[in-house]
C-alpha cells in the first residue's frame, strides 16, 4: 500500500504491516514516518494511530539541532539578503521589544533570509547594532558569519550572555510579500539580545517566521 493511495483522514497501517508490505526494518519505517510527519503529511494521534493529513507536502523549514549551542542558529545553506539599512531612534514600543532605552540610537540592517539553492524564504530579520559598530553592518549577509561574531571579531566585544525570547505576532504588509504569505498571517518571532562588555546590549536581532512553514 502506498501513501498516495490513502485518502485524507484515513488511518495508516501499523508499523508491523508496513514492515511486511515494504520488507524493511522497523527503524526504516519509523524514520520514514518521522519525515512524513515533519512535512505534515501525517499525524500520530494517541489512541487512534497515524492519520493522513494531506496528499501533498507543504514546504516547511525544519531545523534539527545536535547540541544546545546550535539552538536558534541558522544552517550554512541559508543567507541573509540585506534589503535596507537605516539609522533608528527607538520609540517606546520598539524600545520595550529590544529592552533598550527609549530614544536610543541604533543602526538597523533588515533583510530576508533565504536558502541559497532555492531562494525560498526562511524569515525576515531586523538586526539592530550600536552605532559605534555600524561599520560591521557592511559585512552582514556577505558570508554566513552572524552579526554578533562580526562585531566580536572586529571590535573585541566579548559576548557575555545571549537572551532568547520567542513570541507570537502578526505579519504586516511590509514583509508579507517577501515571506510569500498574506498580510495578517500568524508568525513566530525570535528575539536574540547579545550582552557584551560590562553587560550592555550591543546587538539585537528579531527574526520573524511565517507560522505555517517553520518549527523547531
Amino acid at each position: 500500500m502506498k501513501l498516495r493511495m490513502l485518502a485524507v483522514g484515513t488511518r495508516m497501517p501499523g508499523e508491523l504491516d508496513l514492515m511486511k508490505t515494504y520488507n524493511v526494518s522497523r527503524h526504516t519505517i519509523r524514520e520514514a514516518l518521522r519525515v512524513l510527519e515533519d512535512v505534515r503529511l501525517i499525524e500520530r494521534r494517541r489512541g487512534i494511530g497515524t492519520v493522513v493529513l494531506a496528499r501533498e507536502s507543504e514546504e516547511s523549514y525544519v531545523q534539527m539541532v545536535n547540541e544546545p549551542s546550535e539552538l536558534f542558529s541558522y544552517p550554512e545553506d541559508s543567507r541573509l539578503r540585506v534589503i535596507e539599512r537605516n539609522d533608528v531612534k527607538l520609540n517606546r514600543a520598539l524600545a520595550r521589544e529590544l529592552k533598550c532605552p527609549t530614544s536610543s540610537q541604533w543602526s538597523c540592517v533588515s533583510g530576508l533570509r533565504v536558502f541559497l539553492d532555492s531562494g525560498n524564504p526562511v524569515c525576515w530579520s531586523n538586526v539592530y547594532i550600536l552605532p559605534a559598530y555600524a561599520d560591521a553592518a557592511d559585512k552582514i549577509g556577505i558570508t554566513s558569519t552572524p552579526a554578533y561574531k562580526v562585531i566580536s571579531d572586529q571590535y573585541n566585544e566579548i559576548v557575555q550572555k545571549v537572551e532568547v525570547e520567542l513570541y507570537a505576532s502578526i505579519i504586516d504588509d511590509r514583509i508579507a510579500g517577501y515571506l510569500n504569505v498574506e498580510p495578517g498571517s500568524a508568525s513566530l518571532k525570535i528575539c536574540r539580545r547579545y550582552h557584551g562588555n560590562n553587560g550592555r546590549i550591543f546587538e539585537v536581532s528579531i527574526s520573524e517566521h511565517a507560522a505555517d512553514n517553520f518549527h523547531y
Side-chain angles (χ1 to χ4, degrees):
M1 182 178 295
K2 296 183 179 180
L3 180 59
R4 65 172 180 267
M5 297 174 61
L6 297 177
V8 173
T10 302
R11 189 173 65 180
M12 289 186 60
E15 290 183 0
L16 291 178
D17 290 335
L18 291 171
M19 289 166 57
K20 292 177 181 178
T21 299
Y22 295 105
N23 192 29
V24 295
S25 67
R26 183 183 294 272
H27 172 77
T28 299
I29 291 298
R30 288 183 173 176
E31 179 64 15
L33 292 174
R34 183 192 66 77
V35 172
L36 292 175
E37 189 171 27
D38 282 345
V39 296
R40 301 180 185 179
L41 286 176
I42 64 172
E43 181 180 55
R44 304 183 197 192
R45 298 176 180 173
R46 181 173 296 182
I48 297 176
T50 302
V51 178
V52 178
L53 293 181
R55 300 282 291 274
E56 295 180 1
S57 64
E58 296 181 0
E59 190 162 7
S60 177
Y61 170 42
V62 180
Q63 181 163 342
M64 307 299 293
V65 297
N66 297 310
E67 56 186 51
S69 63
E70 298 177 5
L71 193 60
F72 306 117
S73 62
Y74 291 106
E76 289 289 329
D77 61 344
S78 70
R79 193 78 79 246
L80 180 66
R81 291 181 178 171
V82 176
I83 305 297
E84 57 188 21
R85 293 183 175 90
N86 296 297
D87 292 329
V88 177
K89 183 177 181 180
L90 302 188
N91 58 29
R92 185 175 300 177
L94 188 53
R96 186 165 53 248
E97 190 170 29
L98 270 59
K99 291 188 177 180
C100 295
T102 302
S103 299
S104 59
Q105 299 284 344
W106 293 77
S107 293
C108 180
V109 177
S110 301
L112 185 69
R113 179 168 291 276
V114 299
F115 288 109
L116 293 175
D117 56 350
S118 65
N120 292 326
V122 177
C123 65
W124 177 269
S125 291
N126 294 318
V127 182
Y128 298 88
I129 301 170
L130 285 177
Y133 300 153
D135 289 346
D138 294 332
K139 299 180 181 179
I140 296 176
I142 295 177
T143 69
S144 60
T145 304
Y148 79 86
K149 186 68 165 59
V150 173
I151 295 171
S152 178
D153 292 343
Q154 186 168 337
Y155 297 99
N156 296 318
E157 184 76 64
I158 306 300
V159 179
Q160 303 288 348
K161 180 177 70 172
V162 182
E163 182 183 358
V164 182
E165 185 177 358
L166 290 84
Y167 46 98
S169 187
I170 298 295
I171 295 174
D172 61 28
D173 295 352
R174 186 174 66 94
I175 67 171
Y178 289 106
L179 294 174
N180 298 328
V181 297
E182 292 294 325
S185 300
S187 69
L188 169 70
K189 275 190 176 182
I190 302 178
C191 179
R192 304 168 178 85
R193 303 179 188 92
Y194 296 87
H195 297 253
N197 301 335
N198 301 318
R200 69 171 180 173
I201 296 176
F202 68 89
E203 183 211 328
V204 181
S205 68
I206 299 179
S207 301
E208 189 162 6
H209 305 259
D212 291 339
N213 63 14
F214 178 89
H215 67 275
Y216 273 106

